[in-house]
Amino acid sequence: MAAQALAAVVAIAVLAQSAAAAAPPPAKGPVTYVFGDSMSDVGNNNYFPLSLAKSNYPWYGIDYPNGVATGRFTNGRTIGDYMADKFGVPSPPPFLSLSMVDDDVLGGVNFASGGAGILNETGVYFVQYFSFDQQISCFEMVKKAMIAKIGKEAAEVAVNAALFQIGLGSNDYINNFLQPFMADGQTYTHDTFIRLLITTLDRQLKRLYGLGARKVVFNSLPPLGCIPSQRVHSGNGKCLDHVNGYAVEFNAAAKKLLDGMNAKLPGARMALADCYSVVMELIVHPEKHGFTTAHTSCCNVDTTVGGLCLPNSRPCSDRKAFVFWDAYHTSDAANRVIADLLWDAMPSAGSGGAATTPLAASPAPSPSRAP
């Protein structure tokens, strides 16, 4: 049922974009606004001189066209890049690369920033980055620029028709709640921490709705206990079941929040994309998808404090064989497969046809045991 809900949201966005006569000429797929963390960042953090969350150096980008390190936290493309390819549209550019007076503000924009979380205190030790609240403020700037160019009514129609993709929450655990030196992990139990996250997310999504967002896809948390930076804490290299349990609990709470918004907010079509099950599939059955290794990173930077693939790292010889590129992020090859699996979950949207299935509730995945 989660796949049907996701298909409905994306298909509605595709059809609405085509019907937005007063908006800019429609592309094959919907205009897309991306909000998120380092899994979605396509170069925003490059523009922050003091940011400690950057990947604009080798070995990042080694498998990107021309081998360029763009600021994407992987060896090639992000999941969002591959999804944009499937829609037949360019991957939305980083917000900080745009001028608010250019026509580019009428297309999709990527606001994602490495280190970001739902909470403003998440990521503070990265010094410079866009929190989710700041990303929403950046979108507000884009909308004002749109109004200046095409008028208030046309801008509202265009934004209502757009697809909002949001991938946040992992850093609120990995770089906040699970870190002993961060106050939130000492102040809250997990139950009270989830309530804080959901209360904050509720306010943020309502703010986006007030700015015109109607079609929203929120990515569920992946099995965080299975990423290399967490496995090293297990002592035996296995997944941390309790951390996976946290992710499952958050996903269930986020699903309930989105369902509630669909019921209360006129025109809202918000769905939870089941990234948990998709990523767990690669971890439990890597060989089915062409991988040999899903428990360690290609860059061999799995440490108790995590690790990025620094220039002095020694990447694996076969980068397509690894699910994880560094201690936190999936590889280009994995991102392609993840995009394929998410795309297959919404066949009607992928073909450009109308999705007739209404948004429906779906159970949160149970914590799967993995090697």
Side-chain angles (χ1 to χ4, degrees):
M1 298 301 285
Q4 293 172 333
L6 180 59
V9 170
V10 179
I12 288 169
V14 172
L15 294 173
Q17 189 68 29
S18 299
K28 179 181 177 182
V31 167
T32 303
Y33 299 113
V34 179
F35 302 79
D37 52 30
S38 55
M39 285 294 294
S40 305
D41 192 348
V42 294
N44 276 309
N45 280 18
N46 292 353
Y47 294 85
F48 292 129
L50 301 181
S51 177
L52 299 181
K54 287 187 179 182
S55 57
N56 56 344
Y57 52 81
W59 301 95
Y60 290 96
I62 188 173
D63 295 306
Y64 194 78
N66 299 318
V68 176
T70 62
R72 289 164 168 81
F73 287 76
T74 184
N75 55 308
R77 299 186 182 190
T78 67
I79 297 167
D81 290 329
Y82 283 116
M83 293 298 286
D85 281 348
K86 292 176 182 297
F87 277 124
V89 298
S91 185
F95 167 77
L96 289 175
S97 72
L98 303 179
S99 167
M100 293 298 101
V101 299
D102 290 341
D103 287 344
D104 289 343
V105 298
L106 301 178
V109 181
N110 186 310
F111 304 94
S113 177
I118 294 169
L119 304 178
N120 288 325
E121 61 264 32
T122 294
V124 291
Y125 52 82
F126 295 123
V127 186
Q128 282 186 306
Y129 64 101
F130 280 143
S131 68
F132 189 24
D133 277 322
Q134 290 170 322
Q135 291 178 37
I136 297 172
S137 294
C138 292
F139 170 71
E140 190 169 14
M141 292 174 60
V142 167
K143 187 176 180 183
K144 288 178 180 178
M146 292 173 66
I147 292 171
K149 279 190 166 294
I150 61 176
K152 183 175 177 59
E153 183 177 353
E156 197 67 29
V157 169
V159 170
N160 287 169
L163 180 64
F164 288 71
Q165 294 182 325
I166 304 172
L168 287 157
S170 294
N171 282 326
D172 293 292
Y173 283 94
I174 301 303
N175 290 310
N176 188 345
F177 185 72
L178 295 173
Q179 293 291 355
F181 55 83
M182 291 293 289
D184 284 354
Q186 311 302 316
T187 303
Y188 300 99
T189 65
H190 188 246
D191 286 343
T192 57
F193 186 64
I194 281 189
R195 284 199 289 273
L196 173 65
L197 288 175
I198 296 301
T199 299
T200 305
L201 185 59
D202 176 81
R203 172 183 59 78
Q204 292 163 332
L205 292 178
K206 285 177 179 173
R207 184 182 171 200
L208 275 176
Y209 177 88
L211 291 169
R214 294 296 180 270
K215 288 82 182 176
V216 176
V217 175
F218 189 90
N219 295 336
S220 74
L221 295 185
L224 295 174
C226 292
I227 68 175
S229 73
Q230 294 304 296
R231 283 180 183 261
V232 296
H233 292 282
S234 69
N236 59 8
K238 303 293 184 182
C239 296
L240 295 180
D241 288 340
H242 74 283
V243 176
N244 283 348
Y246 291 163
V248 169
E249 290 180 52
F250 172 84
N251 292 341
K255 181 67 172 63
K256 183 177 180 181
L257 173 66
L258 297 173
D259 287 346
M261 289 190 164
N262 289 333
K264 295 176 183 177
L265 302 178
R269 292 291 184 271
M270 303 188 182
L272 187 76
D274 188 8
C275 297
Y276 186 100
S277 297
V278 167
V279 176
M280 185 62 87
E281 165 68 14
L282 269 63
I283 291 170
V284 176
H285 302 293
E287 69 288 342
K288 285 175 55 178
H289 304 280
F291 302 102
T292 62
T293 308
H295 62 287
T296 61
S297 67
C298 172
C299 286
N300 191 29
V301 287
D302 313 346
T303 69
T304 55
V305 292
L308 296 180
C309 193
L310 299 174
N312 61 355
S313 304
R314 293 185 178 181
C316 57
S317 58
D318 185 1
R319 296 183 292 276
K320 292 183 178 180
F322 281 68
V323 171
F324 289 96
W325 168 243
D326 61 23
Y328 304 103
H329 307 101
T330 43
S331 66
D332 172 86
N335 289 341
R336 181 192 292 271
V337 174
I338 292 168
D340 286 344
L341 293 174
L342 290 173
W343 186 258
D344 289 345
M346 45 184 181
S348 56
S351 63
T356 57
T357 306
L359 287 164
S362 62
S366 299
S368 301
R369 299 193 70 85

